[in-house]
Every structure is written in structure tokens, then in C-alpha cells.
Amino acid sequence: MSKDTAISWTHSTFNPWHGCVKVSPACTNCYAERDSQRFFATPLWGPNSRRRFFGDKYWAEPLKWNAAAKKASERRRVFCASMADVCELLPNKHPDHLRLGKECERLTELISETPWLDWLLLTKRPENFFDSFPWWNDGCPNNVWFGASVENQKYADERIPMLLQIPARIRFLSCEPLLGIINLEPWIDDIDWVIAGGESGPNARPM
């Protein structure tokens, strides 16, 4: 979590939990996995790994950001889950299965309590939206921007149609890392925003 971040397209970052399972080529050199290995001894990536959760003090920080934004009469953007995937679903047998569901519910409550913050929720699993956030099946709050990661044409073709089913006011794409040419013309009228960029780290592949 960071109140101020060097990421150019957001003001702050917030992670309801840490950890994930890789699902596509964009995940190969995952910066989040690399960063987690620097700070945590227990592996957080992989189908059998545990997720890392946080306490009340951590969850209270966005409330402070919201108060500051309201005082300044200036909306602020929060990139949510840079170290996870908000639409990851763990199997029933996983020890964190129930906890992950509860944290998703807690996230929806936090978003509703911070109307001066625009929450940027990004996923590689848009097909899981309605199971991850059943509270929003009829429409996300106005301060939710929902995005899908698409690294090449194959995943653009698979994920964008599913993203467009998500009832969010703003829908965006993260073409980062951009691993191949993508033609967005079929959906260009329905996508509000596109982030494009290369991969980071010592093994970065060409953009």
C-alpha cells in the first residue's frame, strides 16, 4: 500500500491481500511475485500458497485518503490489488477460500465508504466478476473503474468481451506488459481508457 506512488496513472495503491496464481504469459515475470519474495519469507504465489492478509489499521488508511480528497475537493485514484487479483477464486479446499470471500466483501464496503476515491480494480479473470462481487451484479458503485489485463490478441479476444459484461461506469484495459500487437478496433467505442507499457525487471521481454 502507498498513499503516493510512482505509477503515473494513479495516486495511491491498496492491496486487500497479497498473492496469486499465474494464469497467462503476462504473468511469467510477475513483478508482484518478485517483490513479495523480497519482503516475505513464505511464498505467496502458486495454487497451494497461502495469501497474506492485513489488519484494521491497514484497512483504515483509505478512509484518511478519502477525507483528504474531500477536504481538497479533488478526486483521487486508487489502484487496487497491484499485488494480487481481485477476481481470483480459490478452491473450496484451500485454507484461505472463506477468508478471500470475506475480504472481497470488506473491499466493497470500503469502496462505498470512500466516495471521493475512484477505485481502479484490475483483473486477468473477468469471467469471475459475478462470483467475486455478487453485491454488484446489478451495477458497480460509480467510483469503481474495472479493468482487464490483455497482453496480446489472444487474451484481448478472450477477456474484453467478458469485461464489457461487467456493469461498471468506467471500463479500462491494461496492455502491460504488451507482448504482441493488439487490434482494439472491435471494442474501441466501449473501452474508456487504455494503459500500455513494457515489462519491468531484469528479464523484461520486448514491448
Side-chain angles (χ1 to χ4, degrees):
M1 177 176 63
S2 175
K3 178 181 180 295
D4 300 299
T5 176
I7 300 174
S8 61
W9 41 266
T10 189
H11 298 101
S12 307
T13 59
F14 178 83
N15 287 282
W17 60 86
H18 283 200
C20 197
V21 175
K22 296 181 179 182
V23 293
S24 68
C27 304
T28 299
N29 296 323
C30 178
Y31 73 87
E33 179 186 27
R34 184 176 68 242
D35 288 352
S36 75
Q37 291 172 345
R38 293 168 50 202
F39 298 109
F40 307 118
T42 303
L44 303 177
W45 260 254
N48 299 315
S49 64
R50 299 295 300 265
R51 300 294 172 265
R52 182 176 177 84
F53 300 101
F54 302 95
D56 293 343
K57 183 177 180 180
Y58 182 94
W59 281 81
E61 286 301 305
L63 299 174
K64 299 177 184 177
W65 306 344
N66 182 76
K70 181 179 180 180
K71 184 177 181 179
S73 295
E74 178 183 80
R75 301 198 63 78
R76 306 272 297 180
R77 292 187 300 276
V78 179
F79 175 29
C80 183
S82 62
M83 300 291 289
D85 188 321
V86 293
C87 287
E88 182 187 27
L89 296 176
L90 295 174
N92 291 345
K93 63 181 180 180
H94 193 285
D96 291 328
H97 166 70
L98 293 178
R99 178 70 184 270
L100 201 70
K102 290 179 180 178
E103 296 301 274
C104 276
E105 185 173 5
R106 188 176 189 180
L107 177 61
T108 64
E109 294 171 356
L110 179 63
I111 289 172
S112 70
E113 294 170 355
T114 52
W116 280 88
L117 304 180
D118 289 319
W119 288 82
L120 282 54
L121 276 60
L122 181 64
T123 184
K124 291 183 176 69
R125 300 166 170 88
E127 69 276 11
N128 292 344
F129 169 82
F130 293 100
D131 290 322
S132 299
F133 297 98
W135 314 276
W136 294 344
N137 283 1
D138 295 326
C140 300
N142 284 337
N143 62 330
V144 168
W145 301 15
F146 226 100
S149 294
V150 293
E151 62 263 41
N152 56 29
Q153 192 68 50
K154 168 180 165 53
Y155 288 98
D157 293 341
E158 289 182 9
R159 292 173 181 161
I160 294 176
M162 292 185 284
L163 171 66
L164 296 182
Q165 295 177 30
I166 294 175
R169 182 176 63 90
I170 299 291
R171 301 185 189 93
F172 68 97
L173 300 177
S174 174
C175 303
E176 188 179 40
L178 182 59
L179 301 179
I181 295 173
I182 303 177
N183 176 19
L184 297 178
E185 187 174 2
W187 311 284
I188 203 67
D189 292 334
D190 299 309
I191 297 297
D192 298 287
W193 189 36
V194 177
I195 302 163
E199 196 167 43
S200 62
N203 299 313
R205 290 164 286 181
M207 176 177 167

